[in-house]
Amino acid sequence: MINHLPDRLDLIATAEAGRVLRGTVAVASLERLLPVLNSDEGELQVEMELGKDPNGIRYLKGSIAGEVVLKCQRCLDNMSLPLDLAFRLGLVTSEVAADALPARYEPLLVTAEPAHIADIIAEEVLLAIPIVPRHSDSVACQEFIKDYKPPVSEQRESPFAVLAGLKLKQ
Ligand SMILES: [Zn+2]
């Protein structure tokens, strides 16, 4: 067990050796995730196990726990999304190998360059974020709406009122 997550990692070599890595990752360091967040505060607990299964498939199994802050699309206020994710990636070096993976693995295309751990974590969290995040009928959202006053619509004179005015002038 290694209680530290490196920034970059040679996934294939690490899977060959077999390792468990564990650590915390600052939300602010997950660049790909930041555009959909309302706050970059906090950190996530991450655990990753790299190894080779009995069929010779190199894998990365992991878990991510913590929370991220999104913007509720109903009340536009902050909305915390608790995360407790598990993922199982098959490490492949070609599209052909990705197609050949058993269904229990999601393919992760590995290049010759060491992988950015933050990018892998950001991708997994993005998959868990709803397309249109909203408070789920929570008190937070309801109270905001209670205070919300719709803008006063402009008073539009009806055509009949205009006609009545014309008649009065005659
Ligand atoms: Zn809301």
Side-chain angles (χ1 to χ4, degrees):
M1 174 79 71
I2 300 171
N3 283 303
H4 166 71
L5 285 177
D7 291 340
R8 305 189 76 173
L9 189 63
D10 183 332
L11 296 177
I12 298 287
T14 310
E16 285 291 335
R19 289 274 185 278
V20 176
L21 312 166
R22 179 187 281 171
T24 56
V25 174
V27 172
S29 73
L30 304 174
E31 284 177 30
R32 289 194 193 179
L33 194 56
L34 297 182
V36 302
L37 299 185
N38 223 22
S39 162
D40 64 0
E41 287 177 25
E43 49 187 28
L44 304 177
Q45 312 294 321
V46 176
E47 187 167 316
M48 291 181 166
E49 177 192 340
L50 290 115
K52 209 151 99 169
D53 78 7
N55 299 316
I57 297 171
R58 300 178 191 104
Y59 63 82
L60 163 53
K61 288 188 225 175
S63 64
I64 302 170
E67 66 174 39
V68 290
V69 179
L70 309 173
K71 181 193 270 187
C72 168
Q73 295 302 306
R74 193 190 290 133
C75 70
L76 304 181
D77 206 353
N78 282 352
M79 172 191 153
S80 290
L81 179 72
L83 297 174
D84 189 7
L85 311 176
F87 55 94
R88 187 194 296 253
L89 308 173
L91 308 178
V92 293
T93 53
S94 70
E95 301 256 342
V96 175
D99 290 342
L101 272 181
R104 62 182 180 277
Y105 291 109
E106 290 294 323
L108 176 63
L109 200 59
V110 177
T111 64
E113 293 287 306
H116 284 279
I117 296 294
D119 288 347
I120 296 171
I121 297 166
E123 287 298 324
E124 292 302 320
V125 175
L126 277 172
L127 290 174
I129 290 179
I131 296 168
V132 182
R134 285 188 194 138
H135 287 115
S136 55
D137 291 329
S138 77
V139 174
C141 201
Q142 297 297 331
E143 293 211 331
F144 194 92
I145 285 176
K146 201 173 65 193
D147 294 339
Y148 175 77
K149 292 186 181 65
V152 179
S153 60
E154 283 181 43
Q155 293 282 330
R156 282 182 60 189
E157 273 188 299
S158 80
F160 299 107
V162 175
L163 270 180
L166 285 176
K167 278 179 185 165
L168 277 175
K169 281 177 189 165
Q170 280 172 353

